[in-house]
Amino acid sequence: MSNYHIKHLEEYFQVYRKSVRNPESYWEEIAEEHFLWHKRWDEVLSYDFEKPEFKWFKGAKLNITENCIDRHLRTRGDKTAILFEPNDTTEKAQHISYNELHERVCKMANVLKDKGVEKGDRVCIYLPMIPELAVSVLACARIGAIHSVVFAGFSSKALATRINDSSCKMLITSDGSFRGNKKIDLKGIVDAALENCESIENVLVVKRIETNISMQNGRDIWLQPLLDNASSSCEPEIMDAEDPLFILYTSGSTGTPKGMVHTTAGYMVYAAFTFKNVFQYREDDVYWCTADIGWITGHSYIVYGPLANGATTVMFEGVPSYPDYGRFWEIVEKHKVTQFYTAPTAIRALAKEKTEYVEKYDLSSLKILGTVGEPINEEAWHWYDENVGKKKCPIVDTWWQTETGGIMISPIPYSTPAIPTFATLPLPGIQPALMDEEGKEIKGNQVDGRLCIKFPWPSMARTIWNNHQRYKETYFSAYKGMYFTGDGALRDSVGYYRITGRVDDVVIVSGHNLGTAPIEDAINEHPAVAESAIVGYPHEIKGSALYGYVILKETGETRNQDNLRKEINQLISDRIGPIAKLDKIQFTSGLPKTRSGKIMRRILRKIASNDTSNIGDTSTLLNPEIVEELMENVISS
Ligand code: WT7
């Protein structure tokens, strides 16, 4: 039996039982056999759900880039580590070998050091999906700097908030980016953001779109000449197992984004282990995850997980619709992709197009398909299975979160029989629990409840940057001695889990996790707006879309409502980013509120979803008459 590579169902059950009976020895064996350490741990796990505090491989010393790069050089130096596919089909793909990756990471690390970045400093990375993004991430890890990657679709305000929250010293960006047939002025966004960021000393700028940008003297520096002069050897900084590796921001249901802190050893072990098993990775595979490195999926399953296994990982700069809807499949054929990992929203968007786009290409290299980010509906699952996998490829519906660092519940291909819409079984070491609203665990099968995890796992986020109290309140206060996920789930008669969606005020739009409160804050900045409430409603392509209820100030507002809608969406775009724009905006004279003043979002959700047959009890409302008005004026198309 191998702890590290599970190959059939019986083995899964054996390994799972062992991992639950004795988690310490289970993870210790894996850590020992599959990674490179400078010093062994003193203790595999110590934890306290009250504080809360979790330490894995305490006292161990390592550098994650040695595990992801250096140790492969002897056996796989010339193998492609990163296969870069540019936005434009006329530009050549780049095959970056492990040797070359080593050289590029070392050079970048030396540039960072030369510009004064030290162990523990925060470096913000705001780059499109180009090799420099992965190289920058790894260069930070090489020298022990903490990277904070901000998705390059975020607005200048959102970027500034994230830079300031963790007082980043350095920013790495590019002159611009390509997205389909558009060019985006990234440096312009950066300049606007930095008007409000005092901690940034230097901005390193990658040349990507060859456009004229303004470079601020003393602050902004073109990266390439620095790299040209940098040494290609850089000794890795020896890190403690629990030293922070990165910060990644995720939206909460209220307040500012949360800077989730992931540490080094546990994250590495779990990302590598789950990558190997969930994708059944083999030496000659070409693995492609279509996510952006700006999200956790990209951190764990484009960069760290694959590279720790010596894999070839594809990085795609573009979008699925450019130059046409066949692009994904053209890339699969061209690079003979074996594992393909994407989001339900992408699947639904592609399923809407003619099947010729898929049929045109030879997809016979594919072995395993994956999905992540939101519940996948049955129709999309079957489309994926039939048209992409030709009914021959196991589909892994992987449930996890920014906070969990790695995949938690997922089938293991060739072992776990898949059922559409079910994430199926917990991976080894993961102990899910379903809880009721009174805080009691719901045992048995064919039940549903709130999904918690009742034992620590190696890649769990350790804190929220600068706000441990919030970490405690958000994840460890709802249920004693457990991590609360924020999701609801159902456990069927054989023990399979199906994620039913968020139980808090987070809406997942096209796989992007959006808190409603920050969007409401943005809307409320509009001078004509008195109050607003945002809810999600089902959307064919995006999974969920955003519906806004807006109360205007009583100043005899006579402006054109369509213009107001545009202005409101522009504000959201500026404050958060275009992904948070509202699909529908209904102006109303009031919102349903409880006597204590709490907005009854349950009712708003029903109205927005055109599901008013069973609106539920409105008797506790302060203003029950408003429900009628809201239903009458609902925007249904
Ligand atoms: C939330 C986490 C994990 C990387 C991408 C999202 C939802 C995620 C699934 C799935 C149903 C899913 C959950 C979760 N989610 N995967 N396979 N089935 N729902 O990371 O932005 O932190 O969002 O995404 O609601 O809580 P994230």
Side-chain angles (χ1 to χ4, degrees):
M1 183 179 81
S2 148
N3 283 326
Y4 188 69
H5 187 188
I6 298 159
K7 297 187 211 67
H8 53 83
L9 192 59
E10 219 160 290
E11 199 174 40
Y12 161 80
F13 283 118
Q14 268 179 34
V15 167
Y16 185 77
R17 275 195 295 272
K18 176 174 175 186
S19 77
V20 170
R21 248 194 335 258
N22 199 339
E24 278 94 339
S25 76
Y26 175 73
W27 290 112
E28 177 159 54
E29 261 179 67
I30 290 177
E32 214 154 43
E33 285 168 23
H34 298 277
F35 301 90
L36 201 70
W37 305 91
H38 281 263
K39 179 185 165 284
R40 213 188 131 87
W41 43 92
D42 307 314
E43 202 181 348
V44 180
L45 168 66
S46 71
Y47 69 99
D48 177 346
F49 271 104
E50 280 299 313
K51 278 184 179 173
E53 186 184 87
F54 307 94
K55 291 188 170 157
W56 282 91
F57 309 110
K58 200 167 153 188
K61 302 281 178 196
L62 74 157
N63 185 288
I64 196 169
T65 68
E66 280 189 298
N67 281 278
C68 288
I69 310 172
D70 303 55
R71 66 163 161 155
H72 304 309
L73 298 182
R74 204 172 44 84
T75 49
R76 311 182 173 99
D78 294 325
K79 176 176 173 176
T80 301
I82 294 176
L83 205 174
F84 172 62
E85 174 69 27
N87 177 65
D88 221 298
T89 41
T90 55
E91 195 182 322
K92 268 214 179 110
Q94 287 177 38
H95 295 252
I96 301 166
S97 67
Y98 274 92
N99 281 326
E100 191 188 341
L101 182 62
H102 181 257
E103 184 179 326
R104 288 177 72 167
V105 168
C106 286
K107 283 183 170 234
M108 185 73 198
N110 283 324
V111 167
L112 293 177
K113 276 211 255 188
D114 188 54
K115 292 292 159 208
V117 177
E118 292 174 6
K119 177 177 174 177
D121 286 344
R122 274 79 60 208
V123 174
C124 179
I125 305 174
Y126 186 70
L127 279 172
M129 280 288 284
I130 53 177
E132 286 81 356
L133 171 50
V135 167
S136 299
V137 160
L138 293 161
C140 287
R142 187 79 174 174
I143 64 170
I146 303 168
H147 56 76
S148 168
V149 182
V150 176
F151 172 58
F154 274 121
S155 71
S156 58
K157 282 265 157 61
L159 174 61
T161 306
R162 286 158 176 77
I163 290 173
N164 290 334
D165 183 72
S166 46
S167 44
C168 296
K169 190 169 184 178
M170 162 90 76
L171 175 64
I172 307 173
T173 190
S174 65
D175 55 350
S177 66
F178 296 117
R179 248 185 107 68
N181 53 17
K182 285 198 290 234
K183 278 186 188 175
I184 293 157
D185 174 23
L186 276 198
K187 183 58 168 48
I189 297 172
V190 163
D191 290 339
L194 293 191
E195 281 174 21
N196 304 304
C197 300
E198 297 203 335
S199 58
I200 296 286
E201 291 170 11
N202 286 118
V203 180
L204 301 180
V205 187
V206 177
K207 198 171 249 174
R208 177 61 184 140
I209 69 169
E210 307 278 343
T211 176
N212 276 330
I213 56 167
S214 72
M215 295 286 279
Q216 186 177 311
N217 228 332
R219 186 192 73 183
D220 304 348
I221 315 165
W222 288 109
L223 180 61
Q224 197 54 49
L226 300 179
L227 289 172
D228 292 341
N229 290 316
S231 154
S232 57
S233 83
C234 174
E235 281 303 308
E237 186 77 31
I238 304 307
M239 305 298 286
D240 190 84
E242 284 296 339
D243 277 337
L245 174 63
F246 64 85
I247 302 170
L248 186 60
Y249 287 87
T250 186
S251 316
S253 48
T254 54
T256 51
K258 298 171 285 192
M260 303 313 305
V261 177
H262 282 283
T263 59
T264 308
Y267 173 81
M268 170 185 79
V269 169
Y270 196 76
F273 165 80
T274 48
F275 173 76
K276 175 77 179 169
N277 286 290
V278 172
F279 299 104
Q280 289 290 305
Y281 173 74
R282 309 260 170 172
E283 188 63 34
D284 296 321
D285 288 345
V286 175
Y287 160 88
W288 180 21
C289 164
T290 69
D292 192 288
I293 294 176
W295 311 115
I296 191 70
T297 312
H299 281 61
S300 303
Y301 300 111
I302 296 178
V303 182
Y304 290 116
L307 297 179
N309 282 282
T312 296
T313 174
V314 175
M315 239 183 115
F316 175 43
E317 184 185 26
V319 293
S321 55
Y322 177 82
D324 63 39
Y325 286 97
R327 186 67 192 276
F328 273 2
W329 322 124
E330 184 240 347
I331 296 172
V332 168
E333 176 183 292
K334 178 169 160 197
H335 299 303
K336 302 202 166 38
V337 171
T338 46
Q339 289 92 346
F340 179 76
Y341 190 27
T342 196
T345 182
I347 298 169
R348 286 191 298 265
L350 294 170
K352 234 184 58 187
E353 304 300 325
K354 293 184 296 229
T355 48
E356 283 96 273
Y357 285 122
V358 198
E359 285 155 7
K360 225 169 106 184
Y361 299 98
D362 175 7
L363 306 184
S364 59
S365 58
L366 286 172
K367 296 195 289 192
I368 288 160
L369 303 176
T371 138
V372 61
E374 58 185 309
I376 181 166
N377 49 308
E378 199 148 351
E379 218 183 323
W381 195 97
H382 286 297
W383 185 88
Y384 200 27
D385 184 37
E386 284 157 28
N387 294 283
V388 182
K390 317 289 180 200
K391 291 194 150 183
K392 284 192 309 236
C393 302
I395 295 180
V396 289
D397 179 353
T398 63
W399 173 83
W400 58 298
Q401 310 176 296
T402 305
E403 294 86 339
T404 68
I407 297 169
M408 304 286 279
I409 303 182
S410 166
I412 294 180
Y414 316 120
S415 296
T416 324
I419 299 181
T421 75
F422 281 81
T424 76
L425 297 170
L427 292 183
I430 305 307
Q431 303 187 34
L434 296 178
M435 307 298 291
D436 68 16
E437 288 182 32
E438 272 81 60
K440 277 209 302 287
E441 183 169 355
I442 309 167
K443 302 264 175 132
N445 289 353
Q446 267 182 322
V447 289
D448 63 52
R450 296 175 172 219
L451 180 62
C452 290
I453 312 291
K454 57 181 176 183
F455 194 82
W457 65 100
S459 65
M460 63 199 297
R462 302 296 197 263
T463 189
I464 292 175
W465 184 261
N466 257 339
N467 203 342
H468 197 67
Q469 188 54 32
R470 189 175 179 197
Y471 173 72
K472 179 175 178 155
E473 278 161 20
T474 312
Y475 306 108
F476 300 97
S477 300
Y479 303 101
K480 213 173 141 52
M482 292 191 184
Y483 166 81
F484 174 49
T485 65
D487 282 322
L490 173 156
R491 188 166 49 222
D492 78 355
S493 56
V494 299
Y496 273 19
Y497 288 87
R498 175 191 190 162
I499 311 302
T500 48
R502 303 291 306 186
V503 295
D504 55 12
D505 292 330
V506 171
V507 183
I508 302 192
V509 178
S510 299
H512 300 303
N513 191 332
L514 298 171
T516 51
I519 305 175
E520 289 162 6
D521 292 344
I523 300 173
N524 298 348
E525 279 182 43
H526 193 288
V529 171
E531 200 183 351
S532 62
I534 306 295
V535 295
Y537 69 95
H539 185 278
E540 221 194 313
I541 306 291
K542 302 178 183 181
S544 297
L546 297 171
Y547 192 111
Y549 297 90
V550 175
I551 307 177
L552 295 175
K553 284 184 184 155
E554 282 180 47
T555 47
E557 183 56 62
T558 49
R559 269 195 285 172
N560 178 300
Q561 294 204 336
D562 281 337
N563 286 345
L564 273 172
R565 287 192 175 93
K566 278 193 199 122
E567 287 170 24
I568 286 170
N569 267 331
Q570 189 56 46
L571 252 174
I572 297 172
S573 221
D574 292 345
R575 295 294 181 270
I576 299 155
I579 47 173
K581 287 205 274 192
L582 309 182
D583 276 50
K584 296 178 182 177
I585 300 177
Q586 175 176 358
F587 294 104
T588 170
S589 68
L591 293 166
K593 289 194 179 167
T594 62
R595 280 163 213 280
S596 59
K598 207 169 178 276
I599 298 173
M600 287 271 257
R601 286 167 196 278
R602 178 177 55 81
I603 294 176
L604 294 178
R605 254 181 240 127
K606 289 223 162 194
I607 296 173
S609 314
N610 275 320
D611 172 22
T612 49
S613 56
N614 169 26
I615 204 95
D617 183 20
T618 56
S619 63
T620 57
L621 288 180
L622 192 65
N623 51 346
E625 70 287 348
I626 197 71
V627 175
E628 205 59 29
E629 181 199 315
L630 286 167
M631 292 197 317
E632 244 162 58
N633 300 325
V634 68
I635 299 172
S636 44
S637 62

